[in-house]
Amino acid sequence: MISKEKVRRRALAARNSLDQAWRGENSRIIIKKVLGSEIYQKAKIVLSYSAFRSEVETEELNRDILRCGKKLYLPKTYPEEKKMCFYQVEDLTKLKRGYQGIFEPEEKNPVEFLMEDGDSGLTKQDILMVMPGLTFDENRNRMGYGGGYYDRYLQLYGDKVTSMFIAFYEQKAIVIPAEKCDVKPDYIVTQKD
């Protein structure tokens, strides 16, 4: 079987080779599908991300979350602890560059606090996680950059969030060498699905 690292390298090279204007146009199609989905419509809280390099662009999504009165949370990565936490964002202009130059929120109002509180009244349908990655396959296996941040997060909170991986259809692989520690997203959305 092909190694994860080889799949990861190929997937990153393929995604990086997509034309920037094409990525912008197809990102808008993907985000429009997310915004029109029943899953998004029902969510009260959205754990999104700040797009980095050739990922599906999320600025339009993040603006819509705030405009609709939903609560927006973005991740902050702690590489020395090998974890990430999501913090509430009310103003996208206040994000600062953090880990690997990715725009991150201030460490205020963590969503984890809500999810650890058994009396929050929130259901799995109330919290949507929209996540990036490098590749996916027909069986909903998803591969990220190798840090395992989303897998560890979903191992802790996956029963409390609905997870959605957004990607370009061109990121699809025939098979991903998945392991027990890899967590499948509940949904995968591309510009073609």
Side-chain angles (χ1 to χ4, degrees):
M1 182 178 266
I2 191 168
S3 76
K4 275 186 151 185
E5 198 47 48
K6 196 168 192 176
V7 170
R8 197 171 275 120
R9 278 195 311 271
R10 283 183 185 172
L12 183 58
R15 193 184 70 192
N16 286 343
S17 73
L18 298 171
D19 177 73
Q20 185 175 357
W22 183 95
R23 284 196 315 261
E25 180 181 324
N26 284 279
S27 289
R28 284 188 288 282
I29 294 168
I30 293 166
I31 297 306
K32 187 175 181 183
K33 289 172 77 171
V34 172
L35 297 178
S37 71
E38 186 177 346
I39 301 157
Y40 176 77
Q41 297 296 321
K42 287 184 175 180
K44 297 174 183 172
I45 293 172
V46 182
L47 312 182
S48 185
Y49 67 93
S50 294
F52 184 60
R53 295 187 181 145
S54 59
E55 293 174 340
V56 172
E57 297 166 13
T58 54
E59 190 173 329
E60 180 184 345
L61 170 64
N62 295 340
R63 282 195 315 261
D64 191 82
I65 294 164
L66 294 173
R67 187 172 42 246
C68 289
K70 299 177 187 289
K71 290 186 178 179
L72 170 64
Y73 289 80
L74 295 177
K76 183 168 179 59
T77 304
Y78 301 91
E80 60 286 343
E81 299 170 44
K82 294 194 178 281
K83 74 172 193 174
M84 72 177 176
C85 295
F86 285 82
Y87 296 98
Q88 189 171 3
V89 173
E90 294 175 329
D91 183 348
L92 293 168
T93 65
K94 294 191 175 176
L95 301 175
K96 305 262 191 250
R97 290 205 184 266
Y99 177 65
Q100 302 233 358
I102 301 168
F103 282 106
E104 295 184 332
E106 297 177 81
E107 297 179 65
K108 292 176 9 182
N109 301 325
V111 76
E112 292 81 5
F113 175 76
L114 290 174
M115 295 195 294
E116 289 167 357
D117 175 15
D119 298 328
S120 70
L122 294 169
T123 67
K124 186 175 171 96
Q125 288 71 39
D126 293 328
I127 306 174
L128 171 62
M129 171 188 273
V130 178
M131 58 182 163
L134 287 176
T135 188
F136 64 97
D137 67 17
E138 197 67 39
N139 296 315
R140 276 190 300 116
N141 292 308
R142 168 200 167 270
M143 184 178 287
Y145 300 95
Y149 292 100
Y150 280 92
D151 289 320
R152 280 191 295 279
Y153 196 88
L154 287 170
Q155 286 165 2
L156 288 173
Y157 301 112
D159 62 333
K160 299 183 189 311
V161 304
T162 301
S163 57
M164 179 187 287
F165 173 49
I166 60 174
F168 302 114
Y169 182 81
E170 289 71 12
Q171 292 176 247
K172 188 173 185 179
I174 295 170
V175 155
I176 290 176
E179 299 173 18
K180 280 187 177 181
C181 60
D182 296 327
V183 180
K184 293 181 182 187
D186 295 317
Y187 299 94
I188 296 175
V189 176
T190 75
Q191 77 274 22
K192 292 190 178 181
D193 295 338

